[in-house]
């Protein structure tokens, strides 16, 4: 018997470990197959009965109606941390460079398009040890190319950290303040690859 499921790459290692334990210790004749995918692919696959389970960071708004009208059960299985990644090549050559500090206001201002360069005065004021080290380069912002529960969680997080925007927590944020030159789109599978560029 094969039980197939899809879910986010960020939680894939946990589900794959659970699947190995289940197959080894409990269901000797049952193989659990978990494949990394986007949330939208996972949800459409479970609705179409192509898979038996899915793992998501948070339900997309479009999923809530589906859950109300089907026999699909949803429950929390574990908590997952979220972090902010950044790439400043000038920092890579010196391991003694102080860590960049980002506040909810700074993150919101970057995503809303009001802070567009690494050496912006607001970033320098929170990071005085980096004054003179932050490059006069545009900040390219990574955004999801499809609705993602992680996007809603990210917005909720920066709102809780505090900012003057009070951004609507949605899984399909459009970030209208970001022009196309600064917006870099990525899906769950290639976020880390894009971030390293």
């Amino acid at each position: 018997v094969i039980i197939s499921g899809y879910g986010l790459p960020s939680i894939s290692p946990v589900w794959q470990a659970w699947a190995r334990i289940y197959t080894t210790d409990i269901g000797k004749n049952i193989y659990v197959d978990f494949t990394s995918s986007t949330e939208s692919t996972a949800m459409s696959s479970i609705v179409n009965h192509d898979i038996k389970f899915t793992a998501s960071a948070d339900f997309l708004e479009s999923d809530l109606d589906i859950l109300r009208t089907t026999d699909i059960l949803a429950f929390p299985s574990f908590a997952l941390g979220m972090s902010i990644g950044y790439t400043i090549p000038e920092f890579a050559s010196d391991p003694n460079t102080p860590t960049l500090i980002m506040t909810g206001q700074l993150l919101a201002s970057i995503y809303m398009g009001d802070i567009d360069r690494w050496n912006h005065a607001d970033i320098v004021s929170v990071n005085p040890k980096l004054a003179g080290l932050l490059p006069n380069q545009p900040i390219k912002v990574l955004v999801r190319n499809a609705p993602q529960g992680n996007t809603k969680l990210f917005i909720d997080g920066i709102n809780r950290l505090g900012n003057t925007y009070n951004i609507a927590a949605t899984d399909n944020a459009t970030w209208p303040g970001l022009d196309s030159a600064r917006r870099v789109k990525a899906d769950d599978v290639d976020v880390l690859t894009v971030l390293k560029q």
Side-chain angles (χ1 to χ4, degrees):
V1 176
I2 298 175
I3 301 173
S4 297
Y6 292 165
L8 296 176
S10 56
I11 56 180
S12 180
V14 175
W15 278 94
Q16 289 172 350
W18 287 349
R20 279 191 303 275
I21 292 167
Y22 182 83
T23 300
T24 304
D25 297 343
I26 301 168
K28 304 248 186 240
N29 296 322
I30 298 173
Y31 175 72
V32 179
D33 177 40
F34 184 83
T35 303
S36 296
S37 75
T38 63
E39 290 177 318
S40 55
T41 298
M43 188 50 110
S44 64
S45 296
I46 198 164
V47 168
N48 292 332
H49 303 289
D50 298 329
I51 57 174
K52 297 296 183 188
F53 70 98
T54 181
S56 171
D58 192 12
F59 291 113
L60 306 177
E61 278 114 24
S62 59
D63 297 340
L64 296 178
D65 288 335
I66 294 169
L67 292 173
R68 289 185 194 100
T69 59
T70 65
D71 59 355
I72 298 171
L73 299 176
F75 56 90
S77 56
F78 63 91
L80 180 67
M82 185 178 289
S83 63
I84 304 301
Y86 64 90
T87 302
I88 302 177
E90 291 81 356
F91 289 8
S93 60
D94 185 359
N96 297 317
T97 302
T99 301
L100 180 68
I101 297 169
M102 285 292 190
T103 64
Q105 182 64 47
L106 288 176
L107 290 169
S109 296
I110 290 169
Y111 272 82
M112 296 304 282
D114 292 333
I115 292 179
D116 61 356
R117 302 192 86 70
W118 283 111
N119 65 345
H120 189 281
D122 290 354
I123 296 177
V124 173
S125 71
V126 174
N127 295 276
K129 292 180 181 177
L130 295 173
L133 297 175
L134 290 163
N136 183 22
Q137 296 290 328
I139 299 172
K140 292 187 178 179
V141 180
L142 185 77
V143 297
R144 303 301 180 130
N145 60 7
Q148 297 289 325
N150 283 342
T151 301
K152 184 172 24 170
L153 295 174
F154 170 74
I155 295 169
D156 184 56
I158 60 177
N159 282 339
R160 288 173 190 263
L161 288 171
N163 68 75
T164 57
Y165 297 99
N166 194 24
I167 304 165
T170 175
D171 54 44
N172 196 21
T174 57
W175 310 113
L178 294 175
D179 60 39
S180 59
R182 292 188 48 234
R183 182 189 312 235
V184 179
K185 292 189 173 188
D187 62 26
D188 278 339
V189 176
D190 63 6
V191 164
L192 290 177
T193 303
V194 171
L195 188 61
K196 290 177 184 175
Q197 295 175 351

